[in-house]
Amino acid sequence: MKLGRLNHVGVATPSIAGSIDFYRDVMGATAIGAPFDLPAQGVKVCFVDTPNTQIELIEPYDDSSPIAGYLRANPGGGQHHVCYEVPDILAAKAWFEERGRRVLGEPRIGAHGTPIFFVHPKDMGGVLTEIMETPGETH
Amino acid sequence: MKLGRLNHVGVATPSIAGSIDFYRDVMGATAIGAPFDLPAQGVKVCFVDTPNTQIELIEPYDDSSPIAGYLRANPGGGQHHVCYEVPDILAAKAWFEERGRRVLGEPRIGAHGTPIFFVHPKDMGGVLTEIMETPGETH
């Protein structure tokens, strides 16, 4: 496997609305997508474009959200994960598993509409890592 | 100010040598720079290229390193900061200060040889943020 594009940095926030204000007014972002719900992942999502990658703002969808615990520990929000693109999600899953990395669940459709999975941070140098099939790739 | 390129994601590690093995063998990185010391910042540094940005591996230079505390709390390492490029470091410092963000110290020369500063994570949605003058910009 070859290291792919950094598709986005995932940033947890208690309020996507507040974070949109911050990225627009303080960071100077000019391309901010419309927030949307991803209930199957337990998050609300909003993408902020930088010239070369994106910031994915994620807010808990409800109290059972996987990031609710993160926000209890970090009430102001913070860096949550990084996401790399791969050409083939199933080949990537096999690659990581063959190298003893814990893939968290089966591939599922992510915020960009292509299959994704997460790899356990303790197997990834402390970095919660999302692996995402590049949009537009076909097999 | 307009949001600039994400120059890198800073990842703290207890061992740059171990992280190089990880990024090469597990993540599939093919362009990994030579590690070097940045004693003024209290870190050893190594850049790993992705197709669109970089991962900056940082290891404490000694026990007084600003990231030694981070590693005591996160012994396996983890996401430490993000770094955005700006065309003019002094204009960027004034911009953030005018918006009530705490700039941590004066601009100083960073790992890419251009001036940088950090902004307090509590003023930045929980994200420790490095601001870096784009290499090659002139004033």
Side-chain angles (χ1 to χ4, degrees), chain B residues 63-84:
Chain B
D63 288 344
S64 69
S65 169
I67 66 158
Y70 179 93
L71 285 171
R72 276 190 291 274
N74 307 276
Q79 291 184 76
H80 184 261
H81 67 272
V82 296
C83 176
Y84 292 101

Side-chain angles (χ1 to χ4, degrees), chain A residues 98-123:
Chain A
E98 284 160 8
R99 282 155 186 80
R101 313 294 148 162
R102 282 166 284 179
V103 170
L104 302 169
E106 290 301 311
R108 52 205 177 274
I109 298 300
H112 280 302
T114 64
I116 64 101
F117 60 79
F118 284 86
V119 189
H120 199 298
K122 283 199 192 304
D123 298 341

Side-chain angles (χ1 to χ4, degrees), chain B residues 35-129:
Chain B
F36 60 98
D37 294 342
L38 210 57
Q41 314 268 12
V43 290
K44 304 176 187 184
V45 175
C46 176
F47 284 101
V48 177
D49 290 356
T50 79
N52 59 328
T53 186
Q54 292 182 306
I55 301 299
E56 182 190 44
L57 300 171
I58 48 177
E59 178 189 322
Y61 184 71
D62 57 28
D63 288 344
S64 69
S65 169
I67 66 158
Y70 179 93
L71 285 171
R72 276 190 291 274
N74 307 276
Q79 291 184 76
H80 184 261
H81 67 272
V82 296
C83 176
Y84 292 101
E85 295 179 15
V86 296
D88 182 323
I89 199 75
L90 294 178
K93 180 169 184 279
W95 169 279
F96 283 107
E97 288 176 340
E98 284 161 9
R99 283 157 186 78
R101 312 294 148 162
R102 282 167 284 180
V103 170
L104 303 170
E106 290 301 310
R108 52 205 177 276
I109 298 300
H112 281 300
T114 65
I116 65 102
F117 60 79
F118 284 86
V119 189
H120 199 298
K122 285 200 192 303
D123 298 341
M124 302 294 276
V127 179
L128 177 61
T129 305

